[in-house]
Amino acid sequence: TDEVGTAALWHEVLNIGVPLAASAGSDVMNDYYRTMAIGSTRVYVKPDDNLTSESFLGALKKGRSFVSNGPLLEFEVQGKGPGEAVDASAGTVTWSANVHSALPFERLEIFVNGSVVDTKEGNAVSGSKTYQGSLQVPAGGWVTARVLGDNAGWPALDSYLFAESSPVWFGAVGSTDPVAASRSAQNLLMLLDVAEKNLKAGYGNAPIPNLLEHFGEARARLEAIAN
């Protein structure tokens, strides 16, 4: 239910080469006056062709999207958008971003393999702002852009403004940087241990061989990446 916290875990999964599609939705109980309206948090998708259910879901799975609770975010690297890959042989690539927001926002951040590599000042007024920059190409992995605002107000219905693009990949979709992949695999192993402990506590003495098998497969995969 927290955008930054959820994205931190998502970054770990991207780092091990899993192109996990980003989506968003509103945690709403409509019989409570204090909850946000349906659609306050959403995913925007760019389909390849005319908008249909099939083209929308296809583009969503390919990561041609961004998630947002207000700001609209257009992000490209070397002319490639989210879900696409740029040439990894170049030492440096350029990026551009357009942010359109009904509310002021604090900053634009550029993430490479989960680390912030560039931060730009936001917009003190509502409207649009264009950004450009360059970054060093790592051995593999991905880059995203994120918009953050410390406070939100009408028409946004959340505790802070947030938007993040799906990743643009280096070389190929699902590529990895060995150092980042190993670090994230170790972090995910730690989380997996906690999750398995809670799983066993929840089921007590009930046999759960299928679930434990899934955990075992996940642990083996993460250990291979971590090592």
Side-chain angles (χ1 to χ4, degrees):
T1 57
D2 177 77
E3 291 88 345
V4 171
T6 300
L9 179 59
W10 179 53
H11 289 176
E12 304 279 24
V13 176
L14 295 178
N15 275 347
I16 63 170
V18 178
L20 181 64
S23 189
S26 305
D27 187 9
V28 177
M29 283 68 72
N30 288 325
D31 55 345
Y32 287 170
Y33 74 92
R34 65 180 181 270
T35 58
M36 63 181 68
I38 295 174
S40 298
T41 304
R42 63 194 79 91
V43 59
Y44 290 88
V45 173
K46 184 178 182 180
D48 294 330
D49 206 340
N50 294 330
L51 179 60
T52 64
S53 296
E54 291 75 17
S55 67
F56 176 89
L57 292 174
L60 179 67
K61 292 177 181 179
K62 293 177 182 177
R64 296 176 180 174
S65 61
F66 67 92
V67 293
S68 177
N69 60 18
L72 301 180
L73 174 59
E74 299 172 299
F75 180 58
E76 288 188 346
V77 180
Q78 294 290 106
K80 300 292 186 179
E84 298 182 293
V86 298
D87 184 3
S89 63
T92 304
V93 292
T94 59
W95 61 266
S96 64
N98 296 315
V99 181
H100 317 280
S101 179
L103 293 170
F105 60 94
E106 309 301 324
R107 61 191 182 273
L108 174 78
E109 297 175 328
I110 304 299
F111 286 82
V112 171
N113 295 333
S115 299
V116 177
V117 298
D118 201 353
T119 302
K120 303 292 187 183
E121 184 178 354
N123 200 354
V125 297
S126 62
S128 301
K129 192 169 183 178
T130 297
Y131 299 89
Q132 294 179 337
S134 62
L135 56 89
Q136 296 294 315
V137 177
W142 52 272
V143 53
T144 66
R146 175 188 291 178
V147 176
L148 275 180
D150 288 343
N151 295 291
W154 179 261
L157 298 175
D158 211 337
S159 55
Y160 56 88
L161 288 179
F162 178 93
E164 185 165 358
S165 70
S166 288
V168 178
W169 295 86
F170 298 113
V173 174
S175 70
T176 61
D177 176 87
V179 174
S182 177
R183 181 184 67 244
S184 288
Q186 293 174 46
N187 291 337
L188 290 170
L189 278 167
M190 177 185 65
L191 297 176
L192 190 70
D193 289 340
V194 174
E196 186 172 16
K197 181 179 178 180
N198 291 336
L199 177 78
K200 292 177 178 177
Y203 276 91
N205 294 325
I208 49 172
N210 291 336
L211 289 173
L212 293 178
E213 181 180 357
H214 290 315
F215 272 74
E217 291 173 353
R219 181 169 286 102
R221 180 174 180 180
L222 290 172
E223 287 175 345
I225 297 172
N227 296 327

